[in-house]
Amino acid sequence: MDRVLGLCHLPRITPFLLAAVLALGCRPTAGPAPTVEVPSATDAEALSDVQGMSLEAALAIPPDDGRPTVIAQLGPPDAFSLHFDELEGQSVRWETWSYFDFGTRFDFVDGELLWTVELEPVPDGAIYAHFYAPEDFRSGMTIAQVKALLDDQILDEIDLSDVDLEGGVALAGDQILLGFQDDGLVFVETVILTGRVGE
């Protein structure tokens, strides 16, 4: 579920939100099944080549990165989330990019588009987080590296051991939440703001 937060609620839920994300781990967002295209003749030839390939060789093939196409057509996302996970010794990057004006969210794994999800409209006057770019964040970035990247931001540091997550730290800034485990970045989420302060 996409989070659309009012400005007045951010400080109150930050520690609990980050603790929940870090404790639960990184999982892909539920959504409709991806569409499957019928392979063309050229695709069929490529598939026959893959059938004789070992598992290691198949896993070594880089996925098609759909993010540059989305950026070129729609611009930066209005809000995004990143989750980094370790699967069989390899770092996996899960991403969701939300475009509220288009009513669409794109879900990626390691850059490959998994599916799209229809979004509910947001109120007029919502403030999007266009000043952050998903590509700026990498798995395992340290707290110091993220602070250097966001050096124009005032970031509140929250020790998540207070909510029973040893080694967990959260950084909260202007429309952004970041989660760290043992000084390595594992979670980033930007949020849009709706409503007026005090509502």
Side-chain angles (χ1 to χ4, degrees):
M1 177 176 129
D2 290 290
R3 296 173 187 85
V4 180
L5 299 179
L7 182 61
C8 58
H9 302 297
L10 186 59
R12 210 169 41 225
I13 68 162
T14 299
F16 302 105
L17 175 63
L18 266 297
V21 170
L22 292 173
L24 291 175
C26 304
R27 292 174 175 78
T29 310
T35 56
V36 178
E37 297 179 4
V38 178
S40 65
T42 306
D43 293 335
E45 292 172 10
L47 287 173
S48 67
D49 290 342
V50 170
Q51 288 175 351
M53 198 179 283
S54 70
L55 177 60
E56 292 78 15
L59 291 174
I61 297 173
D64 292 329
D65 193 340
R67 295 169 299 180
T69 302
V70 174
I71 288 283
Q73 293 182 1
L74 302 180
D78 301 329
F80 65 86
S81 68
L82 309 175
H83 303 268
F84 302 103
D85 201 4
E86 288 287 326
L87 293 178
E88 298 185 4
Q90 292 188 342
S91 178
V92 178
R93 179 184 176 111
W94 307 96
E95 297 181 64
T96 65
W97 293 10
S98 297
Y99 291 87
F100 296 103
D101 291 341
F102 296 98
T104 303
R105 187 186 79 206
F106 297 88
D107 290 10
F108 304 94
V109 61
D110 285 340
E112 187 168 6
L113 180 63
L114 292 182
W115 49 67
T116 61
V117 177
E118 187 175 334
L119 296 177
E120 294 292 324
V122 297
D124 290 340
I127 301 171
Y128 299 147
H130 286 161
F131 34 88
Y132 301 107
E135 60 270 22
D136 288 342
F137 300 96
R138 301 176 314 279
S139 174
M141 289 178 79
T142 65
I143 294 172
Q145 289 172 325
V146 170
K147 285 183 174 181
L149 174 67
L150 305 176
D151 63 347
D152 60 336
Q153 286 276 334
I154 297 173
L155 297 170
D156 294 324
E157 188 170 325
I158 303 160
D159 183 355
L160 296 179
S161 61
D162 295 341
V163 286
D164 297 326
L165 190 61
E166 288 300 321
V169 173
L171 294 180
D174 184 11
Q175 293 182 249
I176 191 166
L177 302 169
L178 306 106
F180 299 83
Q181 185 68 43
D182 300 322
D183 199 28
L185 182 65
V186 294
F187 172 78
V188 181
E189 182 167 9
T190 64
V191 295
I192 69 170
L193 301 179
T194 61
R196 293 187 298 269
V197 176
E199 282 189 339

